[in-house]
Amino acid sequence: MACCDVKGLMPLDEALKHMQSAVGNVCGSLMISLSDALGYGLAVDILSPMNVPSFNNSAMDGYALKQADLLNCDSNNPVTLQMIGKSFAGLSYTGDLPTGCCIRIMTGAILPNGADTVVMQERAQINGQAISFTEQPQKSDNVRFAGENIKTGQLVLKKGHKLTARDLPLIASLGIIEILVYRQLKVAVISSGNELKSLGETLSEGEIYDSNRYCIMALLSRLNVEVIDFGIIKDERRLILDAINSADQQADVVITSGGVSVGEADFIKEVLTNLGEIIFWKLAIKPGKPFAFGKLPNSVFFGLPGNPVSALVTLYQLAVPAMIKMSGVNKPDTLRLNAKSADLLKKNPGRTDFQRGNYYVDLQGQLIVESIGAQGSGIFSSMSRSNCFIVLEQNRGNIEKGEMVVIEPYSYLIN
Ligand code: AMP
Ligand code: MG
């Protein structure tokens, strides 16, 4: 046991490793139209079927010419060339360019045969068909060469890459209409608790609205998975058993929130043990200690704690990396930065803390993080008032004001 391990609680790193080795890609592939492909993971490498651009063309509106015609040209020795034609994007000049002549050319138009350079129109004096120049250009100025962006056969995007808005135009530029991607992971979401009511219902004494489902489903929609909403299930053994059984038959992943503590009405763990296998259910993290990870006959199970902050932290830090792997998608790097703490942060050694904070860069260029104050796992407003997790390592105690800490800015999943 390492210095600050707490008996019965699995350290975060170990839990993450267990989860990564316990799950694999479960998603088969399908062809979809490029216009529907945002957020999907590529099931194949994309190799370019063509050169991009596919022809030499102009990067400017100006004049296509032979650079040799403007050798030693300057304001004392201007050179005048005869404009003999025009080349537009999509409507090119078809002839050759003879010495002593130039072609009026627009951005994206094919560079005429015999031309090697484009001079932008602002650098030319126009007198009818006589175009004068007072500067010697570099050879190839303002020319975009065939294949300079992408060459035929080049690996453009790798299998497992999750498609972003930046990738779709790249694929479109290759003329590819349909691509092979991994299908969406199917994720069943269950809220458990006798005290929970759905929005639109009236609360009786002691009841609360089921808010966790909104957080879980919102994050899952950003993850591009198919959500199967099981609503609220009462704390009754039979109902929980039926719901988890049915979820297991329909989904690749079953996510519950609530009912994994050790209270008397917390049946999830018991049901899970009967139906499948619990791999671990107590973690050395704060918030989120009662997080359960297990396997059901057909699916993987994540039992999130009921407290809203704990549910979000465990979903984000633990379940998401496992679901990404199950989707066949390469895990994006997590952005972690070193920041100076503007506050005293209370912490007991023994668990990794995910406190909530706000980071900014001060006038000296130093990255600073301020705590949002109360860190209770039920205070969900702390999530809306913060922009990062302050990740405090398991073995650390209180953090003094001015000490360096690691922060993790919230990613697109929850921003
Ligand atoms: P549990 O994990 O069931 O012991 O619940 C811990 C705390 O989280 C209790 O205060 C619950 O009322 C609350 N809680 C459980 N599920 C939800 C939910 N879906 N939305 C909001 N709060 C919840
Ligand atoms: Mg409960």
Side-chain angles (χ1 to χ4, degrees), residues 25-46 159-161 163 176-186 224-226 252 326-329:
N25 177 9
V26 295
C27 295
S29 55
L30 79 159
M31 282 299 264
I32 57 169
S33 144
L34 183 63
S35 49
D36 296 325
L38 183 66
Y40 280 83
L42 283 175
V44 282
D45 288 342
I46 293 196
K159 182 176 168 174
H161 178 81
L163 293 167
I176 297 173
I177 310 174
E178 287 191 314
I179 41 177
L180 198 66
V181 295
Y182 291 118
R183 71 155 172 84
Q184 288 179 319
L185 193 70
K186 291 184 196 148
N224 191 42
V225 301
E226 182 186 333
D252 306 302
M326 293 178 77
S327 302
V329 175

Side-chain angles (χ1 to χ4, degrees), residues 191-192 195-196 208-212 257-261 266 305-308:
S191 292
S192 86
E195 76 283 27
L196 302 179
I208 59 168
Y209 288 116
D210 171 11
S211 58
N212 283 351
S257 77
V260 282
S261 318
D266 294 323
N307 276 316

Side-chain angles (χ1 to χ4, degrees), residues 289-308:
K289 182 171 73 168
F291 169 82
F293 170 60
K295 282 193 166 172
L296 290 164
N298 299 303
S299 62
V300 164
F301 176 88
F302 303 114
L304 313 182
N307 276 316

Side-chain angles (χ1 to χ4, degrees), residues 32-255:
I32 57 169
S33 144
L34 183 63
S35 49
D36 296 325
L38 183 66
Y40 280 83
L42 283 175
V44 282
D45 288 342
I46 293 196
L47 304 177
S48 180
M50 59 190 270
N51 275 330
V52 179
S54 58
F55 50 88
N56 296 347
N57 67 87
S58 176
M60 290 281 175
D61 291 339
Y63 295 89
L65 43 80
K66 295 177 191 293
Q67 188 247 4
D69 282 349
L70 301 191
L71 281 185
N72 305 321
C73 150
D74 60 28
S75 50
N76 295 323
N77 304 291
V79 171
T80 300
L81 302 177
Q82 192 65 21
M83 186 180 74
I84 56 162
K86 294 185 178 178
S87 187
F88 295 93
L91 187 65
S92 49
Y93 176 82
T94 47
D96 288 340
L97 175 70
T99 298
C101 297
C102 64
I103 304 287
R104 174 82 171 117
I105 194 164
M106 310 302 162
T107 306
I110 294 182
L111 193 72
N113 269 339
D116 56 24
T117 302
V118 172
V119 174
M120 63 198 286
Q121 60 192 22
E122 292 80 354
R123 303 252 162 98
Q125 286 80 51
I126 302 137
N127 189 1
Q129 307 300 105
I131 315 296
S132 303
F133 301 90
T134 52
E135 274 173 69
Q136 178 188 319
Q138 296 289 314
K139 195 167 181 176
S140 307
D141 269 359
N142 304 315
V143 174
R144 300 192 287 215
F145 287 100
E148 76 171 24
N149 189 348
I150 299 161
K151 295 204 166 32
T152 305
Q154 186 180 324
L155 175 62
V156 179
L157 292 167
K158 279 192 178 161
K159 182 176 168 174
H161 178 81
K162 187 181 166 102
L163 293 167
T164 66
R166 289 171 284 122
D167 305 318
L168 300 190
L170 176 64
I171 299 170
S173 75
L174 307 177
I176 297 173
I177 310 174
E178 287 191 314
I179 41 177
L180 198 66
V181 295
Y182 291 118
R183 71 155 172 84
Q184 288 179 319
L185 193 70
K186 291 184 196 148
V187 183
V189 179
I190 302 173
S191 292
S192 86
N194 286 331
E195 76 283 27
L196 302 179
K197 279 278 165 72
S198 292
L199 294 185
E201 293 180 328
T202 308
L203 295 183
S204 302
E205 198 174 271
E207 293 180 335
I208 59 168
Y209 288 116
D210 171 11
S211 58
N212 283 351
R213 211 146 32 102
Y214 286 85
C215 162
I216 296 166
M217 303 224 284
L219 184 151
L220 291 177
S221 77
R222 287 280 170 87
L223 207 55
N224 191 42
V225 301
E226 182 186 333
V227 176
I228 308 169
D229 182 5
F230 274 73
I232 300 167
I233 309 294
K234 295 270 176 218
D235 290 317
E236 284 174 37
R237 204 177 265 105
R238 185 77 238 168
L239 295 177
I240 292 177
L241 183 75
D242 288 349
I244 293 186
N245 238 330
S246 158
D248 176 49
Q249 277 155 28
Q250 296 176 52
D252 306 302
V253 170
V254 178
I255 297 180

Side-chain angles (χ1 to χ4, degrees), residues 3-17:
C3 93
C4 298
D5 287 355
V6 176
K7 200 161 175 276
L9 300 186
M10 183 182 284
L12 176 64
D13 288 353
E14 215 176 292
L16 286 168
K17 266 191 222 142

